[in-house]
Amino acid sequence: DAKTTQPPSMDCAEGRAANLPCNHSTISGNEYVYWYRQIHSQGPQYIIHGLKNNETNEMASLIITEDRKSSTLILPHATLRDTAVYYCIVRVAQGSARQLTFGSGTQLTVLP
Amino acid sequence: SAVISQKPSRDICQRGTSLTIQCQVDSQVTMMFWYRQQPGQSLTLIATANQGSEATYESGFVIDKFPISRPNLTFSTLTVSNMSPEDSSIYLCSGRLAGGSHNEQFFGPGTRLTVL
């Protein structure tokens, strides 16, 4: 699976959009971009995933560049409960037996 | 979706003893995994728990230290054997649903282990 690079930490004001970047310059054509987050003292939680089109769900939006070498997770209206470590993970396509491999992630702190 | 529970949620153990952590999933999962998360660190995969056969261990982890069982599609155990303070970590169980649309992995809340 391709390696990802994320900033170690970011701050965001409550109510504002949080934009979390991820670089995955060695991504292969059949690899998806997944985002998980881990709130303190909890297990990781799935947020969203995508292949090449932008995706949106009730939690977040995922913007993937045209060359697929980077992506941005957007939390449109961050709340204090969004404070967590956010992991960007690139892995092979649907149906794979491979597990998720976690990097160091980005610690997002939402400030009141 | 799937809900994963773990027992115990935390424990404090003496050096040289062993602890068995239980993982129960409320749905049948094709794959089950055990991760370790050392203080302030990211998650590291220990092994994939295979139903009815020996677990598949990642580099740096061995069966004698971390024996794993998976008797059915919804249950697994991880034993941390002959513990030392370096084994103090959070141990997380994870599962992937059978027929899941995008290989989403679900995680338990973790077992916080402190070895004295």
Side-chain angles (χ1 to χ4, degrees), chain A:
Chain A
D1 296 334
K3 182 179 176 180
T4 62
T5 303
Q6 299 177 251
S9 64
M10 293 182 62
D11 292 340
C12 176
E14 188 177 20
R16 305 296 294 271
N19 297 283
L20 292 94
C22 179
N23 286 324
H24 31 78
S25 59
T26 60
I27 192 170
S28 300
N30 64 346
E31 289 181 315
Y32 285 70
V33 180
Y34 285 80
W35 283 83
Y36 278 70
R37 75 178 182 184
Q38 186 175 23
I39 296 171
H40 184 63
S41 297
Q42 297 182 23
Q45 173 193 24
Y46 166 83
I47 300 173
I48 199 168
H49 78 290
L51 182 62
K52 52 184 175 182
N53 297 321
N54 298 337
E55 301 289 344
T56 295
N57 63 20
E58 64 278 4
M59 290 182 68
S61 295
L62 174 60
I63 308 298
I64 303 174
T65 58
E66 192 170 343
D67 63 7
R68 302 207 325 121
K69 293 185 177 182
S70 65
S71 60
T72 301
L73 178 74
I74 301 172
L75 308 178
H77 306 287
T79 71
L80 298 179
R81 287 177 291 184
D82 292 322
T83 292
V85 178
Y86 287 77
Y87 296 100
C88 169
I89 301 167
V90 175
R91 54 160 293 159
V92 296
Q94 185 172 330
S96 167
R98 295 286 297 277
Q99 73 290 338
L100 292 170
T101 301
F102 288 81
S104 50
T106 296
Q107 169 67 60
L108 174 69
T109 302
V110 181
L111 304 171

Side-chain angles (χ1 to χ4, degrees), chain B residues 12-68:
Chain B
I12 300 173
C13 300
Q14 295 297 321
R15 180 196 299 261
T17 62
S18 298
L19 175 71
T20 296
I21 303 168
Q22 297 180 4
C23 174
Q24 180 71 56
V25 190
D26 69 346
S27 307
Q28 291 190 345
V29 290
T30 54
M31 310 287 291
M32 291 184 76
F33 309 98
W34 286 96
Y35 288 81
R36 181 175 74 180
Q37 188 170 29
Q38 295 180 301
Q41 303 295 313
S42 184
L43 285 77
T44 300
L45 182 69
I46 297 172
T48 301
N50 301 309
Q51 185 197 1
S53 64
E54 195 171 284
T56 304
Y57 289 84
E58 297 298 303
S59 175
F61 297 96
V62 296
I63 187 171
D64 289 346
K65 177 66 175 178
F66 298 101
I68 289 171

